[in-house]
Amino acid sequence: MIVFQDVSKIYHIGDAEVHALDHASINIQDGEFVSIIGPSGSGKSTMMNIIGCLDMADSGRYLLDGLPIEDYSETELAKIRNKKIGFIFQNFNLIGNLTAEENVELPMIYQRVPREERKKRVNEALQRVKLSGRQKHKPTELSGGQMLRVDIARSIPAQPSLFLADEPTGNLDSATGREIMTLFHELHAQGNTIVLITHDESIARQASRSIHILDGKVLDDGEVLPC
């Protein structure tokens, strides 16, 4: 499903070159639960942005479902982001003056989903993340864990096959973090591919395997090699 072949990404900061990714190669199959782990500045967020079609590699190839991403137009990339990928961010990206159900509904308005169908999907999504009693609450009336659940619920109606989560437990207490990880395991059990970005080894170990990255280089992709 997700294949990096010798992928590099370089940022120019003043006169300096920063190799955010340095000839990185990975392979993530459909239905896997994979963590990408590394310290701040290791390149894991750059890798996530390229996987999510938010950024493009400078060299190498990224194949998504066997097709090279560099061949897609921006319109086609937008369709992939909207239909195939569910983004879950550490800072939630919720709109403060909208309720939980309105935040979940908003992407479907842009996608021109009929109103009755939107309402049905919103209710189903909030039930799946155990927030059906908080649908009328605005972000300021929700805890950090509840806001993250709204963010996850917002991704569910499009029925993405891939969830990309950027440090989802980074700002949460340990008990809430465990609840969120349980939710990711439930999404994985339903057949979704989960790619979780983290710097926390205890969180990374909860995935089926971990890809370790440092200074833009893949140190270990967690693959079990045949004897």
Side-chain angles (χ1 to χ4, degrees):
M1 178 185 182
I2 296 168
V3 178
F4 275 26
Q5 298 175 340
D6 214 27
V7 167
S8 292
K9 181 69 179 181
I10 300 172
Y11 294 106
H12 296 273
I13 303 176
D15 295 330
E17 284 189 350
V18 177
H19 291 255
L21 286 179
D22 190 359
H23 301 283
S25 295
I26 63 171
N27 193 316
I28 299 174
Q29 298 297 320
D30 284 334
E32 278 200 277
F33 188 163
V34 175
S35 61
I36 298 175
I37 182 169
S40 178
S42 61
K44 60 186 185 296
S45 292
T46 299
M47 180 174 284
M48 186 199 76
N49 287 339
I50 294 175
I51 291 173
C53 302
L54 298 169
D55 201 355
M56 301 291 284
D58 291 324
S59 63
R61 302 189 84 197
Y62 169 29
L63 304 176
L64 182 62
D65 293 338
L67 298 175
I69 282 299
E70 61 265 24
D71 290 349
Y72 284 79
S73 67
E74 182 52 44
T75 299
E76 290 169 328
L77 290 174
K79 288 181 180 178
I80 290 173
R81 292 191 293 266
N82 290 333
K83 298 290 186 181
K84 186 178 184 64
I85 304 172
F87 294 95
I88 300 159
F89 296 103
Q90 184 180 17
N91 60 0
F92 316 127
N93 287 341
L94 301 180
I95 297 176
N97 63 344
L98 298 183
T99 64
E101 64 182 1
E102 289 169 340
N103 268 283
V104 175
E105 182 183 22
L106 187 60
M108 289 184 282
I109 294 175
Y110 294 138
Q111 295 163 9
R112 298 183 179 179
V113 176
R115 185 177 184 277
E116 289 305 314
E117 180 64 20
R118 293 200 309 266
K119 297 299 182 184
K120 175 185 174 185
R121 294 187 192 181
V122 166
N123 289 334
E124 290 175 348
L126 289 173
Q127 286 176 6
R128 284 179 66 179
V129 300
K130 300 178 176 62
L131 277 182
S132 54
R134 294 286 188 272
Q135 65 266 34
K136 300 296 183 183
H137 288 61
K138 294 183 178 180
T140 54
E141 301 168 320
L142 300 172
S143 68
Q146 289 170 339
M147 284 192 285
L148 183 56
R149 289 175 183 272
V150 174
D151 196 17
I152 295 171
R154 187 169 52 182
S155 299
I156 289 174
Q159 299 180 321
S161 57
L162 168 63
F163 285 86
L164 284 179
D166 185 15
E167 299 279 5
T169 62
N171 293 328
L172 305 177
D173 61 78
S174 58
T176 305
R178 286 193 294 272
E179 292 176 2
I180 294 302
M181 290 305 298
T182 296
L183 182 53
F184 281 122
H185 283 292
E186 291 172 358
L187 291 170
H188 177 233
Q190 293 162 8
N192 298 293
T193 304
I194 310 291
V195 178
L196 188 150
I197 311 299
T198 185
H199 67 276
D200 187 332
E201 187 69 46
S202 66
I203 295 296
R205 284 197 299 267
Q206 296 185 51
S208 303
R209 67 181 173 99
S210 297
I211 296 171
H212 289 79
I213 185 170
L214 181 66
D215 297 331
K217 297 180 182 292
V218 174
L219 304 182
D220 176 19
D221 66 2
E223 292 282 11
V224 178
L225 300 178
C227 299

